[in-house]
Amino acid sequence: MKKVAVVFNGGTISMKVDPRVQAAVPSLSGEEIMAMVTGIEKYAEIESHNFSNVPSPHVTPLDMMDLSKYIKDLLKRDDIVGVVVTHGTDSLEETAYLLDLTIKSEKPVVVTGAMRSSSELGYDGPANLSASICTAISDEARGKGVLVCMNGELNSASEVTKANSMSLSAFQSPSFGPVGIVDNNQVIFYRESLNRQYINTENIETKVSLVKCVSGMDSKFIDFCITEGDRGIVIEGMGRGNVPPAMVESIRTAVDKGMAVVLVSRCYEGRVLDTYGYTGGGKNLRNLGVIFGDNLPGQKARIKLMLALAHTDNLGEVKEIFEKGLYLV
Ligand code: ASP
């Protein structure tokens, strides 16, 4: 029987409604959740690990790095074929992407959660866990990088985002769709995600901020990041990767000071490119030395920049981490 380590890490999957506050709070242990995944013993031997029991808005990038180290140690063990991680869905995509960028293993690592707590009708935790465990034991899932398994769908951690605040199929990969499904406990892949990357670092740079552009925006948030001594800024620009003109001079200052400035789009789908030559257009920003972040949502680009800046001080290398194979570096 194959052995899977299930690392419990809080989120709605471990919550029930507290009658005093009349809202969901973390309360179930890993063992209590596993007891609801009936019949799983016919498929795999489970080793439960209670890593934490927090709502995912409480999870920090430093916590994510601790989790990454914890999973790497489990993956080193010969008796474990794969690891399943439970996580609150709010920041799940950030943790899953960080794990994908920092773990180099052929063994499956599957991140899952629940959109409904155990107090609600239609609690989806046990079904998501059993599908994730089936994925962790499947030979097909080996070498696929970190996968997110929710609602019978498998998405690559490098592509997925939380696209809906309430639906059971909240996790979607914009433009590309899922890589596979788990149907009747069978894992089927329909395509490969080709943009897998590994960043070799044990640390993470926490002085990185995310700034979202809106119409009429000025430079005060960028100026604040500069004064705070940030090493990097991710800018969620408009459309193809353009910003209001009043932000441009501060972006120039940030780049001149040696900060890594990464541009992504606030659009749900599509990537940034230097299409526009007006003030604040992508061409203008690229000429200043801004790095392009392809199709990543801002919150995932921030995780990548935090790891890239922990890995290297060399901005040319940071640019290569973001742009290699995607833009002319
Ligand atoms: N707010 C919850 C959390 O992220 C949502 C969830 O787990 O689905 O912890």
Side-chain angles (χ1 to χ4, degrees):
M1 184 73 77
K2 291 179 175 175
K3 191 192 274 185
V4 173
V6 182
V7 180
F8 290 92
N9 199 26
T12 295
I13 194 167
S14 63
M15 294 191 199
K16 62 182 177 197
V17 170
D18 179 335
R20 284 168 305 163
V21 283
Q22 296 193 352
V25 291
S27 41
L28 301 173
S29 69
E31 290 73 17
E32 286 172 305
I33 302 168
M34 275 318 302
M36 291 184 253
V37 190
T38 47
I40 198 67
E41 62 284 351
K42 294 191 205 94
Y43 293 83
E45 185 187 337
I46 303 301
E47 186 178 288
S48 294
H49 294 252
N50 288 303
F51 183 80
S52 79
N53 201 355
V54 289
S56 75
H58 293 201
V59 175
T60 67
L62 291 170
D63 297 331
M64 295 174 194
M65 289 304 280
D66 288 343
L67 180 64
S68 172
K69 287 192 189 110
Y70 193 84
I71 295 169
K72 279 188 224 169
D73 286 341
L74 288 171
L75 292 169
K76 278 186 208 143
R77 281 174 44 189
D78 290 338
D79 61 328
I80 285 178
V81 299
V83 174
V84 171
V85 185
T86 72
H87 201 285
T89 61
D90 289 352
S91 65
L92 187 150
E93 68 195 87
E94 289 167 68
T95 295
Y97 191 42
L98 180 140
L99 298 178
D100 193 49
L101 289 169
T102 55
I103 295 174
K104 206 178 192 177
S105 170
E106 289 295 294
K107 294 181 183 177
V109 175
V110 189
V111 186
T112 192
M115 292 299 291
R116 294 187 189 152
S117 80
S118 62
S119 303
E120 289 174 271
L121 285 175
Y123 173 43
D124 52 332
N128 287 339
L129 254 181
S130 59
S132 300
I133 292 164
C134 289
T135 306
I137 59 170
S138 93
D139 291 337
E140 288 74 18
R142 286 179 64 87
K144 296 276 195 298
V146 174
L147 296 163
V148 172
C149 178
M150 298 279 293
N151 201 39
E153 290 179 337
L154 293 168
N155 283 282
S156 166
S158 58
E159 297 174 350
V160 77
T161 191
K162 186 174 183 181
N164 191 301
S165 65
M166 48 184 266
S167 160
L168 295 187
S169 61
F171 284 82
Q172 289 165 28
S173 297
S175 309
F176 308 119
V179 289
I181 58 169
V182 185
D183 183 26
N184 197 27
N185 308 327
Q186 189 190 352
V187 177
I188 305 166
F189 284 90
Y190 290 98
R191 68 176 182 88
E192 293 259 9
S193 170
L194 296 176
N195 64 355
R196 288 192 50 212
Q197 251 182 312
Y198 171 68
I199 302 177
N200 189 5
T201 176
E202 297 287 315
N203 303 310
I204 189 153
E205 172 58 64
T206 53
K207 295 186 89 54
V208 176
S209 299
L210 170 62
V211 175
K212 181 174 188 145
C213 290
V214 289
S215 56
M217 193 153 171
D218 61 20
S219 63
K220 66 172 175 280
F221 290 141
I222 304 282
D223 291 342
F224 181 73
C225 297
I226 297 170
T227 332
E228 283 292 293
D230 278 351
R231 283 190 64 209
I233 310 174
V234 173
I235 299 176
E236 251 190 39
M238 297 167 164
R240 202 68 156 125
N242 311 304
V243 304
M247 294 176 72
V248 172
E249 277 318 304
S250 290
I251 293 172
R252 184 199 305 277
T253 306
V255 173
D256 288 351
K257 280 183 176 293
M259 294 168 71
V261 181
V262 172
L263 179 72
V264 293
S265 175
R266 68 181 197 177
C267 292
Y268 175 67
E269 291 185 7
R271 70 181 203 137
V272 293
L273 192 69
D274 50 356
T275 309
Y276 295 99
Y278 53 79
T279 304
K283 191 78 171 178
N284 178 199
L285 299 176
R286 194 154 181 82
N287 289 342
L288 294 180
V290 170
I291 296 166
F292 281 9
D294 195 38
N295 55 16
L296 287 170
Q299 64 273 19
K300 287 173 73 175
R302 170 178 166 266
I303 293 291
K304 189 173 189 173
L305 185 54
M306 292 173 111
L307 292 170
L309 287 171
H311 167 73
T312 180
D313 290 333
N314 181 331
L315 289 185
E317 221 182 311
V318 173
K319 185 178 169 79
E320 197 170 299
I321 288 170
F322 275 89
E323 297 191 357
K324 196 167 180 217
L326 299 166
Y327 300 96
L328 297 173
V329 179

